[in-house]
Amino acid sequence: MLSKERFTAAAQKYMDMIFRLAFSYLKSREDADDATQNVLFALYKTDKAFESAEHMKAWLIRVTVNECKKILRSPWRRRGEPLEDYENTLRFEQPQDRELYAAVMALDGKYRAVIVLYYYEGYSIRETAQLLGVPPATVGTRLARARQQLKFTLTEAERL
Amino acid sequence: MTERKRIQRALEPLHASDDTLEEVFAMIERDKAVKHLKHTGRNTLRTVTVAAALVLALSVTAYAVGEYTGFFETVFGDEDAGKQTYDLPLDSWDDEGNQRTMEIVTEGQPVDQETAQRVLDGSVAGGASVTAGGVTCAVENIVLADNGVGALTYTVEAPDGLPDMTVTDQVWGYFYWDDGYDISADGDLGLLNAPLLFIPGDGGMVDERTALVSATETKIEATVYMALFGDETWPDALDVYFFLDEDQDRAEAYKLTLALPEPAQTTVLTADGGWTAKLSPMGLVIEPPADNPYGNDYGFGDLVVHMTDGSEYVVELAEPYTVNSRVGTVDGGIKRWVFNRLVDPAAVESVTAVGDGNGYQDADGSPVPYDQAWVEVEPELVGDTWTSSTALREGLTEMNVALDLTFTK
């Protein structure tokens, strides 16, 4: 088990990453907060000996993915504020960042998670596949389709 | 600006709530309190709000194996089976905040009991139950075939009234909108009132869908259709977790471990090009050749089981919005369907699959195996971290190939 100090440092370092990935799965701030708390609680309780910061990060991502799947299948998903209300609280640098964010969130869930891990966290296709527990070919397909969908959505938005 | 940097900037505003750490420390304190209670034995765990992971190890009763007539009717369909219509909620809301729905028609077929007894004899097991807090969760029967396809029936019962749980009458499987957008994968549509199934240990996984049989204030009956996958070793057992909520905040998990029956045998069919179809009385698993260039990116618009008597079972969409398979899953290019009826493999002549695959080809037009189409590229500096990346091999172009497969024994 981690010391309180080491746990606190790790939690502060990774909680946004966990939330971002959870939000990409769940599209609900309340559910993503729940998932983040449960994942950090699991981190506190685990006896796992992490070999490195990267090892811990990968473990956290796996736990987050599993936690999100559990929440998605739970009868007790919380229905909180409308997604649009939460989006309106987010501060983007540029208007096009908001458009791209909306386009990403409009993707199917399986594509959103791949986008977050590949583009935001910078994992390779093979690493993303390992983290999600799917074959690399699946990640490649999802990335290609996500790119295609994003391109279509953003192009359509420009035409309007 | 690179594609990666644009997406990073778009997702950067997402942050965990300010009170996240505070909440986690509160959970840690509650966990300590539970451990203290366990240690001193002064009280029951129910007096403490605990996380969903708490598994109550309570009295588990094994059922005797008996006649399966009713079980087969529940799983495959009784004489009243036919088309039923459901409104499937979508992960989409209109401008006024109303959740959009789509009308789904499911189709059932009455089971032939004689055939069911013959082809599934020995592959059905009795279930088990767990009782806690006046609620009994019971798996009544389970049936499995060795292509991983199966089903179980379960009940959740409380004479004094069930905990306030959400009940749905939705049924769904693997199907498409007419624009080709699939809506089944990865649990994007949360499955209400369904137990979670796990293969113990680090083995395979289970994809599942639930169909409600009946629901009252004191009892729920339902069927879970499932496909086991991801591990070559046949599991000995299946863990079933029921989640019941008492305070609408945290659910408690009730766990059953089921010993699995001897699986029903699979008939292996093959098609030109190294394609394989594993057929069992409950479903079909199609595997592409090892060097397939499509990855998961292939599909069939028409998948037909041809019987020796000349009749047909169209597994995918018989007509728009009709679901005539119970579950469809995709994993590593392997596709699975759980049938909505009993199929006697001995009475199957062939299976035809017509669709297309999307992959990549060399300059000379030769297909490239999917896992060879992508290569590692030079690490890229993202923020303050060097990260590896993968890109499509140079010189490859996309290709679309029509698939017209006939699987025979």
Side-chain angles (χ1 to χ4, degrees):
Chain A
M1 189 179 286
L2 298 175
S3 67
K4 187 173 180 181
E5 291 73 23
R6 196 166 168 225
F7 166 75
T8 305
Q12 286 171 335
K13 181 176 180 181
Y14 292 120
M15 68 181 176
D16 283 346
M17 175 202 77
I18 296 167
F19 177 85
R20 198 170 287 118
L21 179 59
F23 188 82
S24 77
Y25 262 92
L26 304 167
K27 286 208 326 189
S28 154
R29 175 162 65 173
E30 291 87 349
D31 283 340
D33 272 333
D34 279 354
T36 306
Q37 291 162 19
N38 289 339
V39 171
L40 291 176
F41 182 58
L43 174 66
Y44 180 82
K45 289 185 68 173
T46 186
D47 290 328
K48 198 169 186 63
F50 296 109
E51 296 159 8
S52 63
E54 276 303 308
H55 184 204
M56 181 189 284
K57 184 179 174 185
W59 183 85
L60 286 168
I61 288 173
R62 288 301 298 264
V63 175
T64 304
V65 169
N66 290 337
E67 181 67 24
C68 289
K69 287 182 175 175
K70 196 166 78 179
I71 291 175
L72 281 168
R73 300 171 109 160
S74 164
W76 297 282
R77 283 193 70 186
R78 292 164 63 176
R79 302 291 181 195
E81 65 185 343
L83 191 61
E84 294 74 19
D85 288 358
Y86 175 56
E87 287 173 1
N88 289 335
T89 69
L90 300 176
R91 294 186 178 181
F92 295 91
E93 269 187 50
Q94 304 287 339
Q96 54 266 39
D97 295 341
R98 183 179 292 277
E99 286 171 15
L100 182 53
Y101 163 87
V104 170
M105 288 305 149
L107 293 172
D108 195 65
K110 62 191 173 192
Y111 301 143
R112 295 196 301 268
V114 169
I115 287 284
V116 169
L117 291 176
Y118 179 80
Y119 282 114
Y120 195 92
E121 298 299 336
Y123 285 108
S124 68
I125 285 183
R126 197 171 299 277
E127 290 165 337
T128 302
Q130 282 175 346
L131 289 166
L132 294 176
V134 298
T138 303
V139 173
T141 303
R142 290 180 184 178
L143 268 178
R145 287 185 174 170
R147 281 195 201 104
Q148 191 179 30
Q149 186 69 41
L150 286 175
K151 192 174 172 186
F152 174 78
T153 306
L154 295 173
T155 307
E156 284 294 298
E158 280 172 14
R159 282 166 50 183
L160 294 175
Chain B
M1 185 182 294
T2 65
E3 203 172 35
R4 169 164 285 145
K5 287 198 171 86
R6 286 190 65 202
I7 289 179
Q8 284 176 333
R9 227 171 61 176
L11 299 179
E12 184 58 36
L14 292 169
H15 294 286
S17 296
D18 293 341
D19 61 355
T20 296
L21 259 184
E22 192 182 324
E23 288 291 332
V24 174
F25 282 120
M27 291 166 77
I28 291 169
E29 289 307 311
R30 284 199 294 270
D31 184 59
K32 285 178 182 170
V34 172
K35 281 180 179 160
H36 177 70
L37 286 170
K38 274 183 179 173
H39 179 68
T40 59
R42 284 166 50 199
N43 211 332
T44 65
L45 294 177
R46 284 192 172 279
T47 59
V48 182
T49 302
V50 292
L54 176 64
V55 174
L56 301 181
L58 298 165
S59 59
V60 175
T61 309
Y63 279 111
V65 177
E67 286 294 318
Y68 303 123
T69 306
F71 174 63
F72 290 143
E73 284 184 347
T74 303
V75 170
F76 297 108
D78 59 17
E79 59 184 15
D80 295 327
K83 290 189 175 179
Q84 291 177 291
T85 303
Y86 301 88
D87 285 328
L88 178 70
L90 303 175
D91 194 9
S92 169
W93 283 260
D94 63 21
D95 293 340
E96 295 175 357
N98 301 310
Q99 191 168 11
R100 293 193 176 95
T101 61
M102 180 169 68
E103 187 178 85
I104 297 295
V105 181
T106 63
E107 182 190 60
Q109 292 288 320
V111 66
D112 180 318
Q113 289 286 349
E114 192 180 324
T115 306
Q117 297 286 351
R118 176 168 52 80
V119 300
L120 293 175
D121 183 36
S123 301
V124 183
S129 71
V130 59
T131 300
V135 181
T136 298
C137 304
V139 173
E140 297 179 315
N141 288 112
I142 180 169
V143 61
L144 274 175
D146 67 4
N147 61 356
V149 174
L152 63 81
T153 51
Y154 74 90
T155 60
V156 180
E157 194 167 8
D160 296 332
L162 286 167
D164 190 11
M165 49 193 299
T166 310
V167 176
T168 178
D169 60 359
Q170 299 151 19
V171 181
W172 55 81
Y174 191 70
F175 52 94
Y176 296 86
W177 280 352
D178 56 356
D179 64 358
Y181 180 71
D182 85 82
I183 58 173
S184 71
D186 295 350
D188 276 78
L189 298 168
L191 201 57
L192 304 182
N193 83 336
L196 291 182
L197 309 181
F198 294 98
I199 294 171
D202 297 325
M205 299 171 70
V206 184
D207 202 330
E208 55 183 295
R209 298 289 183 275
T210 291
L212 190 68
V213 177
S214 66
T216 67
E217 289 182 355
T218 57
K219 187 176 183 182
I220 290 170
E221 296 178 78
T223 306
V224 177
Y225 297 93
M226 58 190 156
L228 279 56
F229 62 96
D231 192 6
E232 293 181 357
T233 308
W234 186 258
D236 297 326
L238 192 65
D239 284 342
V240 183
Y241 288 79
F242 292 92
F243 293 88
L244 300 179
D245 193 18
E246 294 194 326
D247 59 6
Q248 289 296 306
D249 184 19
R250 296 289 174 192
E252 288 188 354
Y254 297 74
K255 177 189 173 189
L256 288 176
T257 297
L258 295 176
L260 294 184
E262 190 68 26
Q265 286 195 349
T266 293
T267 301
V268 179
L269 313 176
T270 56
D272 289 346
W275 291 76
T276 305
K278 293 176 178 171
L279 175 72
S280 75
M282 310 208 45
L284 183 72
V285 177
I286 290 187
E287 298 182 10
D291 60 351
N292 98 84
Y294 317 118
N296 281 336
D297 201 1
Y298 70 93
F300 304 115
D302 202 4
L303 183 64
V304 185
V305 180
H306 301 271
M307 312 305 288
T308 50
D309 66 1
S311 61
E312 294 180 346
Y313 165 28
V314 180
V315 181
E316 282 209 288
L317 300 180
E319 56 190 74
Y321 305 124
T322 298
V323 180
N324 64 358
S325 58
R326 301 288 194 188
V327 181
T329 70
V330 181
D331 168 48
I334 300 172
K335 297 181 189 260
R336 300 170 176 78
W337 291 266
V338 181
F339 295 155
N340 73 335
R341 67 195 69 186
L342 182 76
V343 171
D344 180 0
V348 172
E349 179 77 39
S350 64
V351 175
T352 53
V354 178
D356 63 350
N358 299 296
Y360 299 97
Q361 60 190 355
D362 276 331
D364 65 0
S366 304
V368 177
Y370 199 93
D371 58 0
Q372 293 174 26
W374 297 85
V375 293
E376 296 286 334
V377 297
E378 286 296 313
E380 182 183 359
L381 187 62
V382 179
D384 57 357
T385 308
W386 286 96
T387 59
S388 56
S389 186
T390 311
L392 191 65
R393 243 176 54 193
E394 279 187 25
L396 300 188
T397 54
E398 291 189 13
M399 64 170 188
N400 179 276
V401 176
L403 298 172
D404 189 352
L405 305 171
T406 299
F407 294 92
T408 54
K409 293 175 184 173

